[in-house]
Amino acid sequence: MFQFLDATHQQMQQELVTLNRLVDALADDRWKAEDSVQLADTVQWFDTVARQHHLDEERHIFPTLMASSDEHVVDVTRRLRQDHGWIEQNWLEMGPHLSAVASGNHWIEPALVRDMVHVFTQLCLDHLMLEESLAYPKAREHIAAD
């Protein structure tokens, strides 16, 4: 299970790099036709794989952590759950803009979308760091002990 979750984290980092490169190209007037296909693939990945990843964590990782006797672990888990809500909210606001661009509708304000993507990226990276540095190691310990 953890190999799959870790692999998804690595893929998410790659998708975030791609997403930032694409919105930078859009904002800097360097957009190419093939960028639309790549953006559509990235949007699809976040709509499906990333969302399923968060659901998997909510079902399989967080309950174990919430049962911990370590209050710090429980507090971090609460924050991670809250992060999932913030990430989803950001995606719900940003995703339609990205889908529009991928479909060839450039009615969006490129600088605004770039700013939205940069905020989303930082939120995701901070979240990943907290999961990998504390949540996943603690979950591995608890699951191994069971």
Side-chain angles (χ1 to χ4, degrees):
M1 171 176 54
F2 284 102
Q3 288 177 339
F4 177 73
L5 294 171
D6 289 338
T8 304
H9 277 190
Q10 291 172 359
Q11 183 66 36
M12 184 175 291
Q13 290 174 28
Q14 293 170 357
E15 295 294 341
L16 288 168
V17 167
T18 299
L19 185 57
N20 278 274
R21 182 182 55 75
L22 292 169
V23 297
D24 286 345
L26 180 68
D28 297 339
D29 228 11
R30 295 181 285 110
W31 191 260
K32 300 176 194 151
E34 61 267 17
D35 291 340
S36 294
V37 173
Q38 197 165 32
L39 182 58
D41 290 346
T42 298
V43 167
Q44 177 67 18
W45 189 89
F46 277 103
D47 276 343
T48 57
V49 176
R51 279 187 168 140
Q52 185 59 52
H53 173 80
H54 287 168
L55 291 173
D56 290 342
E57 289 174 335
E58 295 280 346
R59 285 187 197 126
H60 304 293
I61 303 299
F62 293 173
T64 298
L65 297 174
M66 289 299 292
S68 174
S69 60
D70 184 336
E71 191 59 36
H72 179 64
V73 171
V74 172
D75 287 343
V76 166
T77 305
R78 285 187 187 118
R79 177 183 164 199
L80 291 171
R81 282 186 163 158
Q82 184 179 40
D83 283 356
H84 282 176
W86 285 113
I87 290 168
E88 179 67 12
Q89 181 64 37
N90 275 259
W91 184 254
L92 289 173
E93 292 174 13
M94 182 177 63
H97 295 276
L98 298 171
S99 292
V101 172
S103 297
N105 300 314
H106 294 198
W107 48 261
I108 56 96
E109 177 61 42
L112 175 64
V113 173
R114 178 169 44 188
D115 290 345
M116 292 169 76
V117 167
H118 288 177
V119 168
F120 178 77
T121 297
Q122 195 57 55
L123 180 59
C124 289
L125 292 177
D126 289 349
H127 180 80
L128 291 176
M129 185 184 326
L130 191 54
E131 284 182 340
E132 291 177 0
S133 67
L134 187 121
Y136 281 17
K138 289 295 183 184
R140 282 182 175 99
E141 287 175 19
H142 287 254
I143 290 170
D146 288 344

